Amino acid sequence: MPIKIALAGNPNCGKTTLFNHLTGANQYVGNWPGVTVEKKEGRLKSHDDVIIQDLPGIYSLSPYTLEEVVARNYLVTEKPDVILNIIDGTNIERNLYLTTQLIELGIPVVMAVNMIDLVRKNGDRIDVKKLGAALGCEVHTISALKGEGCIEAAEAAVKLAGKPRTAELPHVFTGSVEHAIAHIEESISDKVDPGLLRWYAIKLFERDEKVQQQLALPADLARHIDQHIADCEKELDDDAESIITNQRYTYIAGVVAKSVAKKRAVHSLTTSDKIDRVVTNRIAALPIFALVMAAVYAIAMGGTPISIGTMATEWTNEVLFGEIVPPAVEGFLTSIGCADWLVSLINDGIVTGVGAVLGFVPQMLVLFFLLSILEDVGYMARIAFIMDRIFRKFGLSGKSFIPMLIGTGCGVPGVMASRTIENDRDRKMTIMTTCFIPCGAKMPIIGLFAGAIFGGSTLVAVSAYFIGVAAIIVSGIILKKTKMFAGDPAPFVMELPAYHIPAWGNVLRATWERGWSFIKRAGTVILASTVVLWFLQGFGFTDGAFGMVEDNNNSLLAAIGGAVSFVFAPLGFGTWQATVATVTGLIAKENVVATLAQLFGYAGEVSENGEEIWGLIPTHFTALTAYSFMIFNLLCAPCFAAMGAIKREMNNGKWTAFAIGYMCVFAYAVSLMVYQIGGLITGEVSFGIGTVAALIVLAGMIWMLVRKNPYDGKEEQTLKASRMEAAR
C-alpha cells in the first residue's frame, strides 16, 4: 500500500510551490468527485510508493466554503497516513489556528514553517524545538520558493506515516470548556473512531450540524450534551463556536510568545503594507486596477502592436487553419480517393471544429500567463478586495469581477476564471452571468448592425456593454431571491499575501494546466457539435432524394430553421435565415455574420464586420428587429467552446443545462420587451398577444427586483430550529 501524505495549509502559504517542488512532473490534476474544486496529487520524487495529496487552501476545518468541506471530508473519511502542515512563518499566529485543528484529528502531523528566508530577512527568530514541544509535533523550517529544507520535511513525514501518536495532545482549552469537552468525549467514546474522539467532541461542542447529523445521537444523550454546552455559554456569556475560537487564539498567542521573537516593531509597516496603501486606496485603487487590466488586455487580446495573443490567434486562424491545414488535408484525402462526403466531414467538420478550438488557445495562454503572474505576485487578491464592496450590493462576491472582466475578451477563460471563487453558490452564479458580457467574438455582430442599420454609431457598441452589465446586475438581484442562491455572498475572507517576485515555475505550470484543461474539455464539446452542424448544413432533400446539397437553402438545417422560426417571430426576426444564423452562432458567435451573408446570397469573401453585405441587411431587418436580434445573440447561450468551459466548471450536467437555459430564457425575455414595447412606441408593432406578453414579462421582472427576499434570515432560522430540536 502506498503511503499517503496530505498537504494542508492556509491559502497563499506556499503549499502549491512546495507541492510542485516535491512532485515535479509526477502530478495528476482533476476535480474532486462531484465538485469543481481542483484536485492535485503526485508522487514524491524518488519515492514511487509515496503519494502526496495537495488539499485546497483553507483557514479551518469548519465547513463554510466548498474547499473546507472537501479538505475536511478527505481528512476525516480517507484518513491519510500523515499530514504535512505548511504554515507561513511570517504570519505564524494566524496559520496555527488550522494546525491546532489538524492535530486534534489524531493523524500524525509534521509542520513545515515556510518562508523561513523572509523570516530571517525580517530579523525574526522561530524556536522550532519550543514550537514543536508546545504543539506535540515535529517542526521543520523550509523555503518552498528556494527549495530549502523541503525534501527533509517530506522525508520526516514519510518516516512518521502510519505510526501511532505518542505525544500528548496540546491543552488548548481550559476551565469549564475543557471539562465539557472531556465529558462529551466520555459520552461518545463508543460511537466514534478513537483517533477522532477529540475532534468529534469539539465539533459537538461547537454544535456542528454535519457532525450532529452524522452521529445521530439518542435524544436523551443529545440533551445531556447540550446542557453542558449551555452551561458554558451562560458562564462565559458567548456562543459555543466563539468560545472555542477565542480559547484557540488565546492558546496560540501563548505558544507564539514562547517560541517566536519578532524584531520588527508591531506598528511598523512592511514594504507590502506601503504598496497596499496606494493600490488599495479608496480613490486610487480603481484607476490603478483599470490601467493594470488594460495592459493585460492589450497584450493578450487587444488590437495594438503589443497584442501578442491576438497576433498569434490571427495567425492560427487565418494561416494555420485557413491557408495551410485545410488545403493540405483536402489534397491528401482527395489523393487517396476519399469520397466527397468524407472529405467534407473531415475538412469542414473535424478540422474546422479543431481549428475553432485551437484558434483561441494562443490568446488564452497569453492571458492565463499574465493573470498567473498577477496572481503569484499577490495582486489578484487585492483586486477581489477592491471590488467586493461594489459587487456585494448585487449579491455577488468581489471575486466575480475578474471572470467578467476577462469575459470581455473571451467567454471561455472568463468562465474558467470563476474557479478562484470558493463559495459554490457564488461560483455557479458567476458562471451563469459571465457570458452576458459581450466578448470579442460578438463584436462582428455589433459591427454588422451598427454599420448596416445605425450609420456606424458607436452608441450601439456602448449600449451592448451596458446591457451586458445590466443583465449581470439584474440576474444577481433576481437569483439571490431564489432558494438555490439565497443567502448573502460568502464572507470575504482572503489572505493578502506579501508581494514577491513570481515563481516562474508556478506561473508556467498554472498557464499550461489551464490551457490544456480547455483544449481537452471544451475541445470535445465543440468538435462533436461542429460535426453535427456540418451534417445538418451539408445534407438535405433535393428532388425527393436525400444527399449532400450545394445550396444550403435545401439543407436539413434550413428545414429545421424554417420549422422553428416561429419561436422568434415575437422577437421580430422570425425568418429561417435569422434562425439558422443564430444556431450557427453557437459554434462561434462570429459565424453569425458569415452565415447571414451566405443565406442572403452573397458569394464572396466577407470581412469581420460584414461590410460587403451592409446593403443587404436593411432589406431583411428594420432598426428595431436588428437591435432585438443583436441583443438576443449577445445574451443567449454562448459558443460551444464557452459551453464546454461551463460544463467543465459546473462539473454537473443538470447545472450546465440550467445555466445555458437561464441565459436563453433571459435573452428571450429582454428581446421580447425590446421589440414588442419598442415597436408599440414607434408604431412598428400593433397591440396584441406579443405586447401583452412583453408587458407581463416587464412587470414580472420589476416585481422580482423590488420584492422582499423571502429567504432573508432563513439560514439562521433553520440553524436555531435544529438547535432547539436537539435541546428537546
Side-chain angles (χ1 to χ4, degrees):
M1 288 288 290
I3 295 172
K4 291 184 179 180
I5 300 177
L7 218 57
N10 289 183
N12 300 303
C13 68
K15 189 164 54 63
T16 299
T17 305
L18 176 62
F19 176 75
N20 292 337
H21 182 80
L22 295 178
T23 60
N26 304 316
Q27 296 182 11
Y28 305 93
V29 181
N31 276 353
W32 289 88
V35 295
T36 54
V37 178
E38 195 171 77
K39 178 181 183 179
K40 287 184 177 180
E41 71 175 42
R43 294 188 180 273
L44 180 62
K45 291 177 182 176
S46 304
H47 291 75
D48 290 338
D49 60 338
V50 178
I51 295 175
I52 298 180
Q53 180 69 67
D54 184 20
L55 298 182
I58 56 174
Y59 292 104
S60 75
L61 293 180
S62 301
Y64 294 125
T65 68
L66 189 57
E67 278 72 9
E68 288 171 347
V69 171
V70 165
R72 173 166 145 168
N73 288 345
Y74 177 79
L75 292 171
V76 173
T77 59
E78 297 291 329
K79 293 203 69 176
D81 298 297
V82 63
I83 298 172
L84 184 55
N85 174 216
I86 300 87
I87 67 171
D88 177 358
T90 64
N91 200 344
I92 194 168
E93 188 167 357
R94 175 186 48 73
N95 281 240
L96 286 179
Y97 189 88
L98 175 63
T99 303
T100 60
Q101 292 183 313
L102 295 175
I103 291 171
E104 288 159 358
L105 289 170
I107 301 170
V109 174
V110 172
M111 181 189 294
V113 181
N114 192 21
M115 305 184 196
I116 195 63
D117 52 326
L118 295 181
V119 173
R120 296 193 198 106
K121 184 178 178 181
N122 294 337
D124 301 337
R125 288 187 301 104
I126 299 175
D127 190 325
V128 294
K129 290 184 178 179
K130 289 183 179 179
L131 183 61
L135 295 170
C137 68
E138 192 172 336
V139 181
H140 290 258
T141 56
I142 68 169
S143 172
L145 192 62
K146 297 183 177 181
E148 178 187 337
C150 298
I151 297 298
E152 290 79 359
E155 294 283 2
V158 172
K159 291 178 183 177
L160 197 60
K163 293 183 179 178
R165 182 181 178 85
T166 55
E168 186 179 346
L169 285 172
H171 297 288
V172 177
F173 308 107
T174 60
S176 59
V177 178
E178 176 59 35
H179 174 74
I181 292 173
H183 185 82
I184 295 172
E185 285 185 276
E186 184 180 344
S187 302
I188 64 171
S189 59
D190 60 336
K191 295 176 172 56
V192 299
D193 182 334
L196 292 169
L197 181 58
R198 182 73 171 177
W199 184 81
Y200 273 113
I202 294 169
K203 285 301 169 187
L204 283 174
F205 185 93
E206 291 178 322
R207 292 197 173 98
D208 188 304
E209 288 188 14
K210 290 185 180 297
V211 169
Q212 289 176 343
Q213 293 169 4
Q214 179 186 348
L215 296 182
L217 299 176
D220 57 340
L221 179 57
R223 283 194 298 269
H224 183 66
I225 290 173
D226 195 71
Q227 186 59 54
H228 279 276
I229 301 169
D231 290 343
C232 283
E233 289 177 323
K234 184 177 180 180
E235 177 186 339
L236 300 174
D237 193 24
D238 209 344
D239 66 274
E241 192 170 4
S242 297
I243 290 170
I244 291 292
T245 301
N246 292 336
Q247 291 213 354
R248 280 195 197 280
Y249 276 120
T250 300
Y251 171 76
I252 290 168
V255 171
V256 172
K258 295 175 184 175
S259 56
V260 180
K262 293 274 188 181
K263 180 180 179 181
R264 185 190 301 276
V266 175
H267 62 272
S268 64
L269 294 177
T270 64
T271 303
S272 289
D273 293 333
K274 292 174 183 176
I275 296 173
D276 279 339
R277 281 193 161 187
V278 178
V279 300
T280 63
N281 179 274
R282 281 181 173 271
I283 298 173
L286 286 177
I288 291 172
F289 166 62
L291 288 174
V292 170
M293 296 314 296
V296 169
Y297 185 82
I299 296 171
M301 295 183 168
T304 66
I306 62 171
S307 303
I308 301 170
T310 301
M311 288 187 285
T313 287
E314 287 177 351
W315 182 87
T316 304
N317 282 328
E318 297 173 11
V319 180
L320 182 62
F321 285 99
E323 300 173 6
I324 298 176
V325 176
V329 171
E330 184 175 1
F332 172 75
L333 294 174
T334 303
S335 67
I336 61 175
C338 288
D340 291 343
W341 69 267
L342 184 58
V343 173
S344 179
L345 168 62
I346 295 174
N347 217 30
D348 299 333
I350 297 175
V351 173
T352 300
V354 172
V357 176
L358 297 184
F360 289 108
V361 169
Q363 228 171 26
M364 289 170 56
L365 289 178
V366 173
L367 181 64
F368 287 153
F369 178 75
L370 296 174
L371 292 177
S372 295
I373 292 176
L374 292 180
E375 188 175 358
D376 208 60
V377 300
Y379 185 61
M380 291 294 269
R382 273 79 179 176
I383 296 174
F385 168 75
I386 292 164
M387 298 306 301
D388 189 63
R389 286 194 302 269
I390 300 172
F391 268 56
R392 188 165 290 274
K393 296 178 181 178
F394 308 119
L396 292 167
S397 162
K399 295 182 183 180
S400 301
F401 181 72
I402 302 300
M404 293 169 188
L405 180 73
I406 296 170
T408 60
C410 178
V412 175
V415 169
M416 293 175 69
S418 66
R419 63 173 37 211
T420 60
I421 304 171
E422 293 91 350
N423 184 277
D424 187 52
R425 182 179 56 204
D426 296 347
R427 181 192 290 120
K428 284 186 169 73
M429 187 184 294
T430 301
I431 292 170
M432 289 174 59
T433 55
T434 291
C435 290
F436 283 146
I437 292 290
C439 66
K442 295 176 182 177
M443 293 310 295
I445 304 175
I446 299 170
L448 172 66
F449 290 109
I453 302 289
F454 299 100
S457 173
T458 56
L459 290 176
V460 176
V462 173
S463 71
Y465 279 96
F466 273 115
I467 288 171
V469 172
I472 291 171
I473 293 173
V474 169
S475 294
I477 296 172
I478 290 175
L479 291 173
K480 274 294 177 182
K481 296 178 181 180
T482 64
K483 188 175 182 179
M484 290 183 294
F485 297 99
D488 293 329
F492 191 80
V493 179
M494 174 179 271
E495 174 73 7
L496 295 182
Y499 292 101
H500 61 272
I501 296 173
W504 295 111
N506 289 347
V507 170
L508 293 173
R509 192 185 300 274
T511 301
W512 169 248
E513 286 176 356
R514 292 170 180 172
W516 181 240
S517 174
F518 162 69
I519 294 171
K520 285 192 301 182
R521 301 294 183 130
T524 55
V525 174
I526 193 171
L527 180 59
S529 305
T530 304
V531 171
V532 170
L533 283 176
W534 163 83
F535 175 77
L536 294 176
Q537 195 169 4
F539 286 79
F541 291 92
T542 306
D543 298 328
F546 180 78
M548 293 189 71
V549 295
E550 294 183 2
D551 184 359
N552 60 18
N553 285 281
N554 300 321
S555 68
L556 293 173
L557 189 61
I560 295 171
V564 302
S565 60
F566 72 92
V567 174
F568 299 104
L571 310 186
F573 51 92
T575 64
W576 78 265
Q577 291 95 335
T579 302
V580 169
T582 300
V583 172
T584 57
L586 297 177
I587 301 175
K589 288 297 180 181
E590 57 265 42
N591 279 357
V592 171
V593 175
T595 301
L596 288 176
Q598 190 176 12
L599 298 181
F600 291 162
Y602 184 79
E605 290 288 328
V606 182
S607 59
E608 187 178 71
N609 63 352
E611 292 180 48
E612 298 79 3
I613 62 168
W614 282 6
L616 298 172
I617 294 298
T619 63
H620 295 82
F621 293 92
T622 66
L624 190 58
T625 58
Y627 200 70
S628 174
F629 177 84
M630 183 185 76
I631 288 176
F632 182 82
N633 279 275
L634 295 183
L635 297 181
C636 76
C639 65
F640 284 134
M643 288 189 212
I646 291 173
K647 174 65 170 66
R648 166 83 169 102
E649 296 308 313
M650 287 290 194
N651 204 25
N652 181 289
K654 290 182 180 179
W655 269 106
T656 302
F658 178 76
I660 294 171
Y662 175 81
M663 286 185 268
C664 291
V665 170
F666 189 88
Y668 194 94
V670 174
S671 294
L672 178 70
M673 290 186 290
V674 166
Y675 177 67
Q676 294 291 339
I677 298 175
L680 195 65
I681 295 171
T682 62
E684 187 174 328
V685 175
S686 301
F687 190 87
I689 296 176
T691 315
V692 172
L695 291 172
I696 292 173
V697 169
L698 177 61
M701 192 169 288
I702 292 173
W703 176 75
M704 286 188 286
L705 288 171
V706 301
R707 71 171 178 149
K708 184 179 178 181
N709 190 342
Y711 297 98
D712 264 352
K714 283 291 179 68
E715 292 179 350
E716 289 79 3
Q717 293 172 18
T718 301
L719 182 59
K720 289 178 182 177
S722 64
R723 288 179 178 174
M724 290 174 63
E725 180 64 30
R728 287 198 294 271

